[in-house]
Amino acid sequence: MTALRLHDVSKRFDQTLAADRFSLDLADHELLALVGPSGCGKSTVLRMIAGLQPVDEGIIELSGDVVDDGRSAVPPERRGVGLVFQEHALFPHLSVAGNVGFGVRTDDRAHRVAEMLELVGLHDLGTRYPHELSGGERQRVALARALAPRPRLLLLDEPFASLDPNLRTRIRDDVADILRATRTPAVFVTHDQNEALAIGDRIAVMRAGRLEQVGTPEDVFHRPIDSFVASFMGEAAFIPLDEATAMVRGVDGTGFPRHGDGNGLLMLRPDDVTFEVADNSASDGTATIVGAEFRGSTWCYRLRLPSGAELLSVRSHLDRVAVGSAVHPGVRPGHLPVLLDPPSS
C-alpha cells in the first residue's frame, strides 16, 4: 500500500510559489529524506501533509484516503499523522510519561507509554520533567510521543538541528532504527545532505518548490539528474567533456551516459579524482595543486587545469603533496563520471 501520495500539489504565499505542482509517492514502511536549500518549500510540503496548511491545488492521500483536494480538508487531528519538530514542543508541566501518553486514547494507555519509553531507551525516566532532560533525551521523548498513538505516517522537520554534531549522529541513527523496527513510514525534512544520505531509503531533492530528483541515496549522489542536484548533494567539479578528455588521463569520452545532443559537462567528485605527481615544472603536468585542506583522515587537494577550471581530489592523510606541484589528474579505476547537460541559458 502507498502510505502517502501527493499529486500536483501547489501552495502560494502572496507572490511566492512554495510548492509548484509537487508530486510524490511514499511506499509503506519507507523512510524518505526530503532535502533542499533553505526556502525551497520543504517545511511547507510537510505542513500540508500534516494538515497544518491547506493546499491551493492538487490532492493529498494518506493510505489511499483523500485528506485534502484543494476544496475540503481533513483536520490534522483526524489524519493519523505524527509530528516531530526541531524544538521538541514538549509540555513543560507534564512528566515524560505524561507527554508520551498525551495523544493515546485507548484503554492500554499505561502499557503503551511503558512500551514507547522502553523503545526509545527512557524506561527509567518516566517521572522526570522536560527541563530535567538533556537535548537528546527530549528528542527521544518527542519521538515516543509521536509514535505512541500508532500513526500511519510520521513527519520529522529538522528534528536534530539543535543537537551537537556527535549527539546528532547517534540520535539520528537511533531514530532511523526505531522507525524501521516499528515499520513506520516517515518523511524526514533536512538541509543536511549527509544526514539525508545516511537515513533515507530514498531521497527527494527540492528546488524552488519543485521536485528535482527522487531516488536511492546512491542514485541521487552518483547519478544526479543535473548540476544543481550534483552540487547540492556534495562537492563536485564540472568540466567540459572536451577539456576533460584532453586534460584528465583515463577519460576518453566513451561510455558516458549522454544527455541531449551536446558534449555536456563531466561531473567529477573528489573521490573520483586521483593524480600522479610530475616533475617540479608545471609544464610537465596537466594541472597544478593550488590548495590543500586537511580533513583529519584525508587531505583534499585543489587542482587547477590550464583553462582555469579546478578539480578536487582526496588522498590519505599520509600522502602529503606540496602546493605548487605539477600533477597528471586521472579518474580512479571503477569510477564512471556522469555527463550532464550544460546549464540552460
Side-chain angles (χ1 to χ4, degrees):
M1 180 182 294
T2 301
L4 169 69
R5 173 166 292 161
L6 291 86
H7 178 68
D8 284 348
V9 171
S10 296
K11 184 65 184 178
R12 183 182 294 276
F13 298 101
D14 297 326
Q15 301 304 310
T16 301
L17 194 56
D20 185 6
R21 299 180 66 84
F22 188 93
S23 296
L24 181 70
D25 286 359
L26 179 71
D28 203 15
H29 313 315
E30 183 180 21
L31 181 53
L32 179 86
L34 183 59
V35 299
S38 297
C40 73
K42 305 185 299 296
S43 293
T44 296
V45 169
L46 214 68
R47 291 175 65 83
M48 288 190 294
I49 297 170
L52 302 177
Q53 198 77 51
V55 307
D56 292 338
E57 299 174 355
I59 296 173
I60 298 178
E61 296 179 12
L62 290 170
S63 302
D65 300 326
V66 175
V67 296
D68 197 344
D69 61 5
R71 297 182 297 276
S72 62
V74 175
E77 64 273 14
R78 290 175 49 202
R79 293 196 180 191
V81 173
L83 294 169
V84 180
F85 297 105
Q86 174 182 342
E87 301 84 6
H88 317 305
L90 300 179
F91 299 112
H93 63 290
L94 294 181
S95 67
V96 166
N99 268 279
V100 173
F102 182 80
V104 180
R105 299 291 182 262
T106 57
D107 293 338
D108 66 342
R109 183 174 183 271
H111 174 75
R112 183 62 176 169
V113 169
E115 183 181 33
M116 288 297 97
L117 289 178
E118 182 72 29
L119 182 68
V120 299
L122 299 177
H123 60 279
D124 56 344
L125 300 183
T127 59
R128 292 193 185 181
Y129 286 81
H131 71 274
E132 299 176 299
L133 305 177
S134 67
E137 289 168 340
R138 287 195 295 271
Q139 194 57 276
R140 288 172 182 269
V141 174
L143 177 64
R145 184 179 64 181
L147 289 173
R150 296 181 175 87
R152 54 181 173 181
L153 175 68
L154 190 65
L155 305 176
L156 303 100
D157 193 0
E158 301 277 5
F160 315 124
S162 62
L163 304 178
D164 68 74
N166 290 334
L167 180 61
R168 176 174 181 156
T169 299
R170 180 165 61 84
I171 297 296
R172 177 200 73 196
D173 293 344
D174 288 346
V175 167
D177 290 342
I178 289 169
L179 292 176
R180 292 189 172 103
T182 57
R183 299 178 65 79
T184 304
V187 179
F188 178 95
V189 164
T190 180
H191 65 273
D192 186 316
Q193 301 89 328
N194 292 329
E195 197 162 77
L197 292 168
I199 202 172
D201 298 318
R202 286 191 302 156
I203 295 176
V205 184
M206 281 191 73
R207 181 187 188 188
R210 287 183 172 270
L211 183 63
E212 288 282 304
Q213 183 174 357
V214 60
T216 65
E218 294 84 358
D219 280 340
V220 173
F221 187 81
H222 291 297
R223 289 172 289 278
I225 196 171
D226 57 27
S227 57
F228 168 79
V229 174
S231 58
F232 182 79
M233 292 307 300
E235 294 174 311
F238 304 94
I239 309 297
L241 182 59
D242 55 354
E243 179 182 357
T245 300
M247 299 297 175
V248 182
R249 296 166 61 180
V251 177
D252 61 5
T254 62
F256 299 128
R258 293 179 177 273
H259 298 260
D261 298 327
N263 279 332
L265 298 173
L266 204 64
M267 184 200 78
L268 292 163
R269 296 202 185 276
D271 64 305
D272 293 327
V273 179
T274 185
F275 59 83
E276 298 175 1
V277 179
D279 293 338
N280 291 330
S281 171
S283 62
D284 292 328
T286 56
T288 304
I289 294 180
V290 295
E293 180 180 309
F294 183 59
R295 297 184 175 181
S297 60
T298 62
W299 281 96
C300 184
Y301 293 99
R302 187 157 47 95
L303 283 55
R304 182 171 295 159
L305 300 176
S307 67
E310 294 185 351
L311 303 172
L312 295 176
S313 177
V314 291
R315 296 166 79 97
S316 166
H317 69 285
L318 300 175
D319 194 358
R320 185 71 186 272
V321 183
V323 172
S325 298
V327 297
H328 297 293
V331 177
R332 295 184 190 278
H335 289 233
L336 184 63
V338 174
L339 188 65
L340 302 171
D341 282 333
S344 56
S345 57

